[in-house]
Amino acid sequence: MAQHIVTSMQKAMAAPKGHLEFEADSAFALHVRWIVRSPQAAADMLMKGFAPCGAATLRDTPATATYFFRVSRDQRLAESMKRNVTTIGQHPHYKPAFKQLAMHLPRAAVEHKLRLGEILTDPLDWGCNEPIAPHASELDFDPIVLEATEVYLDDRAFKEHALSTDWMKHHPEIVKPCRSLKPTTYCLGNVSDETWEQVIDPFLQAKRVASDPADLVRAGLQLHWEHQQSGTCAAVALLELDLICPLGVAKECGELFNTSVKKLHAIWSLVIPCETETEGQELSEETAPPARFDLRAMACLPTLRHVNVAADSLRAIQALTETAHCLGRLVVSNTEDIAEVSRSLSGLVDVVSSHDTRQFAGYILHPRLTELVQTPKA
């Protein structure tokens, strides 16, 4: 009689999920800024990939505190790509293909790789110097930035969130090569060396952002469990701030953000130094060092009605926006809060609902967060 061999992956997928315990001091975040080829490609990724994967994660791993995906408020990376990609040979899909052809790889092999990614092969006939503008519609080339923010309270949550048939069925819709142009992943917090070395570094090629108290602005993930109280998870919002700070006030901006986090009773906050226009360039005697500090700051906020509209909370946000050039957005999960919060924050940040499925997917904060129990770190 033939024996049925059960693989380790099948065992992991069949194992019970929904654990309410998590290991203390083990939380980490992944944040992705992802240039994709067009608004339609972004909508397809959100609705066909991120939304069902988010539903599976919501069901299976309460210790995945945040699993939220959206069209970014800040589109500077996409605008830069539109300016700089002017020929077919500069397009991220075709630049490596033309390089392979120049190295005399067989044309059939190059085309096969493109077809595997559902990428058109016709542009190989147009030549690398062909202007891209006349072909933008055919190539669906109108770059847009997606963002993903995932907060895992420990390694088990990270590993188990993807261990379901539902998640694996829909994940290919997220990573189709034909939709992706350039993802940049940041890892912040207390990820274990094992998870970093076995998964995040080799597969996600993430940038590991260390938190250094000596930095002008301290990057990293901060959990604020004193604000995680019963009933706070029913109505939440994500505050996103893109700050361009002159170097002379960078430290002040960081302190103001920390003050805002406290005033707004944030459940977690995330700070990521962003690339500046001079990053990656050789500095010489003729090249001045960067005169600004770009900062991506986020905070997950509870119970909007009685927190965000408080006068001291508004003053904290206003002080921050007056100190630095700021692009701000508050993504609200409860549509009943929109009108009231919009009036309170008028002129400070944009206020939008997370219920637009072409713009947002996943969840800002897991609704069972208040049920979770910390266990000592092993």
Side-chain angles (χ1 to χ4, degrees):
M1 186 166 75
Q3 289 185 329
H4 178 64
I5 300 175
V6 179
T7 66
S8 58
M9 176 61 75
Q10 288 171 326
K11 289 180 181 178
M13 291 180 65
K17 306 292 192 304
H19 301 289
L20 295 177
E21 303 81 24
F22 68 96
E23 193 174 71
D25 302 319
S26 301
F28 67 94
L30 296 175
H31 184 77
V32 188
R33 305 184 80 189
W34 199 337
I35 309 176
V36 301
R37 79 179 189 211
S38 69
Q40 183 58 56
D44 287 340
M45 290 169 69
L46 288 166
M47 292 188 289
K48 298 177 182 180
F50 286 122
C53 285
T57 301
L58 180 70
R59 178 194 65 209
D60 292 339
T61 50
T64 301
T66 296
Y67 201 66
F68 192 54
F69 314 93
R70 65 274 190 200
V71 174
S72 179
R73 169 67 175 79
D74 180 8
Q75 290 295 324
R76 287 176 292 175
L77 291 176
E79 292 161 2
S80 176
M81 179 170 282
K82 290 177 189 178
R83 289 193 302 269
N84 294 323
V85 176
T86 60
T87 66
I88 297 298
Q90 294 171 328
H91 190 294
H93 290 167
Y94 300 106
K95 185 175 181 178
F98 281 113
K99 184 176 181 179
Q100 290 165 355
L101 291 174
M103 296 171 64
H104 306 293
L105 267 67
R107 168 75 175 249
V110 175
E111 289 187 355
H112 177 68
K113 185 175 181 179
L114 291 175
R115 290 194 186 99
L116 285 178
E118 300 182 25
I119 297 170
L120 292 174
T121 60
D122 293 351
L124 296 182
D125 295 323
W126 304 343
C128 62
N129 294 320
E130 174 73 7
I132 202 168
H135 304 283
S137 179
E138 182 179 356
L139 296 175
D140 192 29
F141 182 73
D142 184 16
I144 190 171
V145 180
L146 285 180
E147 285 192 83
T149 305
E150 305 167 18
V151 177
Y152 302 98
L153 297 185
D154 60 14
D155 276 21
R156 181 171 67 178
F158 172 71
K159 293 172 181 176
E160 290 189 352
H161 89 279
L163 291 176
S164 72
T165 302
D166 293 333
W167 193 95
M168 291 189 175
K169 175 183 177 182
H170 294 99
H171 185 253
E173 293 288 348
I174 298 172
V175 295
K176 279 188 175 182
C178 62
R179 293 176 179 151
S180 175
L181 295 179
K182 183 183 178 183
T184 303
T185 302
Y186 301 90
C187 180
L188 309 96
N190 298 323
V191 62
S192 70
D193 290 339
E194 178 185 355
T195 296
W196 171 260
E197 293 168 2
Q198 294 183 2
V199 183
I200 295 176
D201 185 28
F203 292 102
L204 301 181
Q205 298 179 337
K207 299 180 179 182
R208 197 168 189 176
V209 181
S211 180
D212 186 345
D215 288 343
L216 284 175
V217 179
R218 188 172 180 179
L221 170 68
Q222 299 292 325
L223 299 178
H224 309 282
W225 289 112
E226 67 274 18
H227 299 149
Q228 184 258 344
Q229 300 168 351
S230 178
T232 62
C233 299
V236 293
L238 181 68
L239 177 65
E240 304 174 310
L241 298 173
D242 291 289
L243 302 168
I244 302 176
C245 318
L247 279 184
V249 297
K251 186 175 181 179
E252 183 181 354
C253 286
E255 292 171 349
L256 284 171
F257 176 71
N258 291 334
T259 299
S260 299
V261 164
K262 182 178 179 180
K263 297 288 187 182
L264 295 167
H265 293 193
I267 296 170
W268 60 254
S269 58
L270 191 62
V271 175
I272 307 169
C274 295
E275 296 181 2
T276 64
E277 293 176 359
T278 56
E279 187 164 326
Q281 298 177 5
E282 293 289 336
L283 293 181
S284 64
E285 294 181 0
E286 294 78 24
T287 306
R292 71 185 202 197
F293 193 91
D294 284 21
L295 185 69
R296 180 71 162 139
M298 287 160 277
C300 181
L301 314 176
T303 49
L304 293 169
R305 292 192 176 195
H306 71 268
V307 174
N308 288 351
V309 297
D312 58 346
S313 301
L314 296 180
R315 283 195 294 270
I317 296 178
Q318 186 172 5
L320 187 58
T321 58
E322 289 175 348
T323 304
H325 176 66
C326 176
L327 296 173
R329 179 171 72 175
L330 187 75
V331 185
V332 182
S333 66
N334 188 344
T335 55
E336 294 179 0
D337 290 328
I338 290 287
E340 183 175 351
V341 176
S342 294
R343 286 194 297 271
S344 301
L345 299 178
S346 177
L348 298 179
V349 297
D350 297 335
V351 180
V352 298
S353 168
S354 65
H355 291 255
D356 182 350
T357 57
R358 291 181 63 86
Q359 298 278 325
F360 304 97
Y363 56 90
I364 296 174
L365 194 68
H366 201 288
R368 300 189 68 185
L369 194 69
T370 55
E371 302 175 39
L372 299 185
V373 178
Q374 291 192 65
T375 60
K377 189 167 185 176

